[in-house]
Amino acid sequence: STPILDRGLHVAEEDEPIWREGYNTEWVKKHGEDVFERIKNYPILCAGTVWGDTVSLTALCELIGRTEGMDQGTLNVAIRENWLNAIVRPNGYWVWTLGLHGYDWESQVMPEIEFSIVDECVAEYPPNNTKYFTIVALVLHQYNRHPQLVKHFRSLYVGE
């Protein structure tokens, strides 16, 4: 079967733990400081990269609706506290969220990463300037935070 069409609720992790990113910290803390303390070291789950069958997605949407629409905070709490069952995919497994990838938290600067696009959703780059590896994903999420990727995709698809 096509993995992206498998039954159940599927969510994708990002690179950073919840505590490290201000918005996610704030959203999770709306569920209580005690909840935040229990789940703060888990990788962020992005509400923009959720998929699944109708029953699973309806249950998630109903839960978010009961929490005044706090989608990402509620998603992280619901999955990490086992309110909902989900299949959690690591970053780069079907969905590659680039948003905070390589971010320098000290200087608050997004790095210039070396990469080459092998195919539409395959990228190679050297993490920590060590060795190249390849990520093959069905979805590239938040690539727009990396100017060199934006330039590359615009040249491919917009002709710039």
Side-chain angles (χ1 to χ4, degrees), residues 43-126:
I44 296 165
L45 300 174
C46 182
T49 56
V50 173
W51 68 96
D53 60 57
T54 304
V55 172
S56 300
L57 290 172
T58 299
L60 175 61
C61 290
E62 288 173 350
L63 180 61
I64 289 169
R66 290 192 302 271
T67 59
E68 301 176 19
M70 291 184 353
D71 60 349
Q72 191 148 311
T74 299
L75 173 70
N76 278 274
V77 172
I79 303 308
R80 301 312 188 183
E81 291 281 284
N82 296 309
W83 297 355
L84 293 174
N85 292 323
I87 299 163
V88 179
R89 305 290 182 185
N91 198 17
Y93 188 89
W94 295 338
V95 175
W96 186 20
T97 297
L98 290 166
L100 296 173
H101 184 79
Y103 187 73
D104 183 336
W105 292 95
E106 294 296 318
S107 62
Q108 298 188 355
V109 172
M110 189 62 75
E112 289 286 327
I113 57 173
E114 291 182 40
F115 73 97
S116 63
I117 301 297
V118 178
D119 196 301
E120 288 183 14
C121 288
V122 178
E124 295 181 342
Y125 66 97

Side-chain angles (χ1 to χ4, degrees), residues 33-47:
E33 288 285 335
D34 57 328
V35 173
F36 173 75
E37 287 300 317
R38 284 194 302 272
I39 72 168
K40 69 182 182 182
N41 292 314
Y42 283 103
I44 296 165
L45 300 174
C46 182

